[in-house]
């Protein structure tokens, strides 16, 4: 493998072209293991950024891909349709919170957020309300790297502050402070309620990550905050967009994180684990009221249409992935992961380098006092036979659901030894 070419010419995520981070060459992947060119096998603690929930090289997903590619890999979705897309949308409507009746299939998570935001803007424009053009979002949120998505990410502590002068200026509320396992504090919702009261005539939608804020800080907050958001959106005539790209399909211990608060959004964004980590596919679901509202008045259609919308190959694999989820094994798997993380990961807070530890479902987070040296700590992880990709002060894991207790223990021990004083 030509690593010198890779380092010289290929840009990897969030990596400098001047001083790139090391990249480890992968030969194949199987189950929970990533196998390097050298033959070393690493236990994947990241599920390839939340996506590979069933592990790698899964026979049922492989079979779905093989069968579909023999029929057609792709066909345009404009004016045509196909069984994989129809079956997938049926399953999504059945699985997701009540009231979500229309499905827009997109290319990636960021695009699904763009679609959701465009839906909200076109909805209000077609209702004759030209003033509802801004979005409200809690700080510490992360919704993707495309421009509309960047505009609703945390403007100060997020990854996109460099672009603040060219992004649309949105409205930001303080991040929720009551933790998932704490007694709810009603004061937590007061700042957001005040912003809604002041600006509701401008706000098209509130967009947030339900219960777990991901790349903006891996923060886990109280479900009552989400419940109160739903109530306030109803009170002030604001659409609610829930970004479940990271949390959807069982990661938090519920099939969707919205279920922790027993609410349903007006618009829901899905991605990542939708295909079990096999290929990129996302979906934006909305209520019938939103769908009809978007298409009332000129131009009469929703103004969005990705070239690879409804890609049959991706839809076929997604169907197989959702069939595995619908068997229900994920519930037992995620519960076991959560129990072990609480027993073995939470005590890492006793280390001097550690500021906080937190767990929900199959998500484990260790927050350090100071930013970690990514290159150095990853070298340690690889030497321990695990794969973890930290950022900033966060060393976090969300392993495939099929990980064994012994494998998960190795991942946790690797984190503990990495953060112990030399």
């Amino acid at each position: 493998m030509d690593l010198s070419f890779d380092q010289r010419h290929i840009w990897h995520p969030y990596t400098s072209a001047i001083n790139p981070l090391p990249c480890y060459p992968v030969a194949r992947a199987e189950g929970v293991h990533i196998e390097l060119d050298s033959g070393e096998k690493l236990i994947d603690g990241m599920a390839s950024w939340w996506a590979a929930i069933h592990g790698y090289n899964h026979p049922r997903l492989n079979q779905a891909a093989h069968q579909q590619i023999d029929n057609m890999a792709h066909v345009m979705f404009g004016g045509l349709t196909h069984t994989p897309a129809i079956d997938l949308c049926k399953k999504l409507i059945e699985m997701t919170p009540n009231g979500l009746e229309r499905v827009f299939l997109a290319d990636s998570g960021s695009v699904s957020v763009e679609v959701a935001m465009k839906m909200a803007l076109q909805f209000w424009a077609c209702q004759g309300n030209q003033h509802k053009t801004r979005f409200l979002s809690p700080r510490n949120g992360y919704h993707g790297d495309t421009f509309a998505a960047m505009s609703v990410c945390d403007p100060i502590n997020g990854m996109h502050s460099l672009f603040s002068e060219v992004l649309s200026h949105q409205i930001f509320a303080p991040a929720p402070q009551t933790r998932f396992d704490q007694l709810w504090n009603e004061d937590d919702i007061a700042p957001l309620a005040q912003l809604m009261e002041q600006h509701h005539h401008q706000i098209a939608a509130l967009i947030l990550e339900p219960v777990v804020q991901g790349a903006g800080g891996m923060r886990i907050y109280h479900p009552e905050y989400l419940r109160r958001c739903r109530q306030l959106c109803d009170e002030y005539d604001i659409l609610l967009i829930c970004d479940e790209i990271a949390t959807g399909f069982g990661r938090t211990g519920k099939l969707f994180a919205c279920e922790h608060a027993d609410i349903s959004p007006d618009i829901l964004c899905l991605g990542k684990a939708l295909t079990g980590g096999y290929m990129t596919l996302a979906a934006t679901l909305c209520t019938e009221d939103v769908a009809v509202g978007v298409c009332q008045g000129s131009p009469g259609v929703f103004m969005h249409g990705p070239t690879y919308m409804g890609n049959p190959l991706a839809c076929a694999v997604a169907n197989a992935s959702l069939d595995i989820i619908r068997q229900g094994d994920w519930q037992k798997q995620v519960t076991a992961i959560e129990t072990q993380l609480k027993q073995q990961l939470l005590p890492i807070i006793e280390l001097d380098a550690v500021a906080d530890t937190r767990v929900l479902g199959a998500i484990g987070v260790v927050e350090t006092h100071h930013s970690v040296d990514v290159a150095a700590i990853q070298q340690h992880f690889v030497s321990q036979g695990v794969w973890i990709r930290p950022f900033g002060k966060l060393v976090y894991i969300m392993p495939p659901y099929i990980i064994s207790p012994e494998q998960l223990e190795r991942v946790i021990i690797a984190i503990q030894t990495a953060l112990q004083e030399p």
Side-chain angles (χ1 to χ4, degrees), residues 10-79:
I10 302 177
W11 233 327
H12 289 265
Y14 301 104
T15 296
S16 169
I18 300 169
N19 185 27
L21 290 167
C23 275
Y24 296 86
V26 177
R28 65 189 308 274
E30 176 85 28
V32 300
H33 288 104
I34 296 170
E35 185 176 329
L36 301 184
D37 247 10
S38 60
E40 294 173 88
K41 290 185 177 181
L42 309 180
I43 300 167
D44 181 16
M46 306 299 290
S48 280
W49 275 337
W50 310 80
I53 57 175
H54 310 303
Y56 299 100
N57 210 11
H58 194 287
R60 288 180 62 179
L61 302 188
N62 289 0
Q63 182 183 24
H66 283 299
Q67 288 178 342
Q68 181 56 43
I69 206 165
D70 286 339
N71 293 324
M72 57 178 170
H74 182 63
V75 65
M76 66 184 288
F77 214 49

Side-chain angles (χ1 to χ4, degrees), residues 162-343:
L162 177 68
F163 305 99
S164 60
E165 293 304 311
V166 295
L167 295 174
S168 297
H169 287 188
Q170 312 295 5
I171 302 167
F172 292 92
Q177 297 301 311
T178 310
R179 293 171 66 127
F180 188 90
D181 54 357
Q182 289 179 331
L183 186 65
W184 167 248
N185 182 353
E186 184 65 20
D187 292 342
D188 206 5
I189 199 67
L192 184 136
Q194 186 176 19
L195 286 169
M196 281 195 178
E197 183 181 11
Q198 292 172 346
H199 300 286
H200 63 90
H201 60 287
Q202 296 178 285
I203 299 173
L206 166 64
I207 180 169
L208 47 64
E209 301 154 282
V211 179
V212 179
Q213 293 183 300
M218 297 299 298
R219 302 173 74 255
I220 303 170
Y221 64 88
H222 201 289
E224 185 61 28
Y225 183 92
L226 179 60
R227 192 175 294 116
R228 298 286 284 112
C229 285
R230 175 71 275 181
Q231 294 169 357
L232 287 165
C233 284
D234 292 340
E235 180 181 348
Y236 287 107
D237 205 16
I238 292 169
L239 297 177
L240 175 62
I241 302 172
C242 281
D243 176 353
E244 291 236 24
I245 294 162
T247 54
F249 306 110
R251 179 59 64 177
T252 68
K254 300 285 188 181
L255 192 55
F256 297 97
C258 289
E259 295 174 26
H260 287 286
D262 195 25
I263 65 103
S264 185
D266 301 294
I267 303 174
L268 177 71
C269 300
L270 301 174
K272 289 192 181 290
L274 180 55
T275 65
Y278 265 55
M279 59 196 74
T280 182
L281 182 68
T284 307
L285 288 84
C286 70
T287 64
E288 188 71 10
D289 285 347
V290 170
V292 171
V294 163
C295 298
Q296 288 173 330
S298 180
V301 299
F302 181 46
M303 298 297 293
H304 205 88
T307 300
Y308 283 92
M309 181 176 178
N311 173 255
L313 187 55
C315 288
V317 176
N319 276 310
S321 178
L322 296 191
D323 285 343
I324 295 170
I325 290 171
R326 295 204 299 181
Q327 289 178 344
D329 292 344
W330 68 269
Q331 293 171 301
K332 182 173 65 176
Q333 293 167 333
V334 171
T335 298
I337 292 169
E338 181 179 54
T339 299
Q340 187 172 353
L341 288 175
K342 286 180 175 178
Q343 291 172 348

Side-chain angles (χ1 to χ4, degrees), residues 91-157:
K91 289 171 185 173
L92 288 174
I93 289 171
E94 179 185 326
M95 295 171 73
T96 52
N98 290 336
L100 299 168
E101 299 290 338
R102 299 280 183 151
V103 186
F104 191 98
L105 297 171
D107 307 72
S108 68
S110 293
V111 174
S112 76
V113 171
E114 299 276 332
V115 167
M117 295 174 71
K118 188 184 281 189
M119 275 184 186
L121 293 173
Q122 188 169 334
F123 173 85
W124 290 114
C126 289
Q127 306 312 301
N129 194 329
Q130 305 294 335
H131 300 293
K132 281 182 170 283
T133 58
R134 300 179 73 189
F135 291 85
L136 174 62
S137 187
R139 292 187 181 274
N140 289 106
Y142 174 79
H143 299 283
D145 295 340
T146 50
F147 266 74
M150 283 197 294
S151 77
V152 289
C153 297
D154 190 296
I156 306 300
N157 299 315

